[in-house]
Amino acid sequence: MLVFSLPYFIRLKQCAAECLKASEKDQKYLHVMNSIKYLLLLISSFLIQSFNNSKVFVFRYSFVIISIILASYWDIFLDWGLGHKKNRLYFGPIIYAAGLMNIFLRLAPLILFSNPICLNLIFSNGSETLRRILWIHFRLTN
């Protein structure tokens, strides 16, 4: 459980540290919002791995899906810069395909941890690696 949540905790700590270092109000705001994104993902990772009670099923998956959608929005529009008029390198179908792929790769751990199997950790880490490669590509090209 800790292994799956550790990357989100590390990024949350990094974002909080960057917020404390930032001198401009706009930069502080972005770091606070990024910290909130990682806090939601951290909570989601705990929810995915716990509570098999049917009473909290709807809450658990609703919270996880909402946090994944918010994190994907942040990735696509703020980190990658896709969808901005100034971005001439990528257009319509590429932006939509990258966005859908990002959402799918963020959902992979949710799908995998729904049915606990020993290989789930390997597949979820593989999907996160692919998502990070996609993230790095768009981040560096914008």
Side-chain angles (χ1 to χ4, degrees):
M1 185 160 135
L2 181 62
V3 173
F4 183 62
S5 304
L6 191 60
Y8 299 128
F9 177 75
I10 291 170
R11 284 296 295 141
L12 174 63
K13 186 178 175 196
Q14 289 172 340
C15 292
E18 288 296 321
C19 180
L20 294 174
K21 287 183 197 174
S23 58
E24 296 179 23
K25 187 176 180 180
D26 291 343
Q27 288 298 317
K28 281 189 181 282
Y29 175 75
L30 287 175
H31 292 304
V32 167
M33 296 309 290
N34 209 9
S35 297
I36 291 170
K37 174 184 83 169
Y38 283 107
L39 178 63
L40 292 174
L41 290 170
L42 182 65
I43 293 169
S44 294
S45 70
F46 286 125
L47 289 174
I48 288 171
Q49 300 169 69
S50 59
F51 300 124
N52 287 324
N53 187 342
S54 61
K55 292 180 181 177
V56 294
F57 178 84
V58 173
F59 168 76
R60 174 172 85 165
Y61 284 101
S62 298
F63 185 88
V64 169
I65 289 170
I66 288 169
S67 67
I68 287 171
I69 289 170
L70 291 173
S72 295
Y73 177 85
W74 182 278
D75 288 345
I76 295 163
F77 291 102
L78 296 173
D79 282 345
W80 299 353
L82 300 181
H84 296 335
K85 294 194 187 283
K86 67 178 182 173
N87 187 339
R88 304 270 186 235
L89 187 58
Y90 299 104
F91 53 92
I94 294 173
I95 293 171
Y96 295 125
L100 288 174
M101 186 174 182
N102 186 55
I103 291 170
F104 173 75
L105 291 172
R106 280 199 182 271
L107 283 171
L110 171 65
I111 296 165
L112 292 170
F113 276 103
S114 297
N115 299 312
I117 299 174
C118 187
L119 296 176
N120 283 350
L121 190 58
I122 294 169
F123 289 124
S124 66
N125 286 337
S127 69
E128 181 62 16
T129 303
L130 288 174
R131 196 189 68 73
R132 281 290 169 183
I133 290 169
L134 182 69
W135 186 92
I136 289 168
H137 171 74
F138 285 115
R139 183 72 176 190
L140 292 177
T141 56
N142 281 322

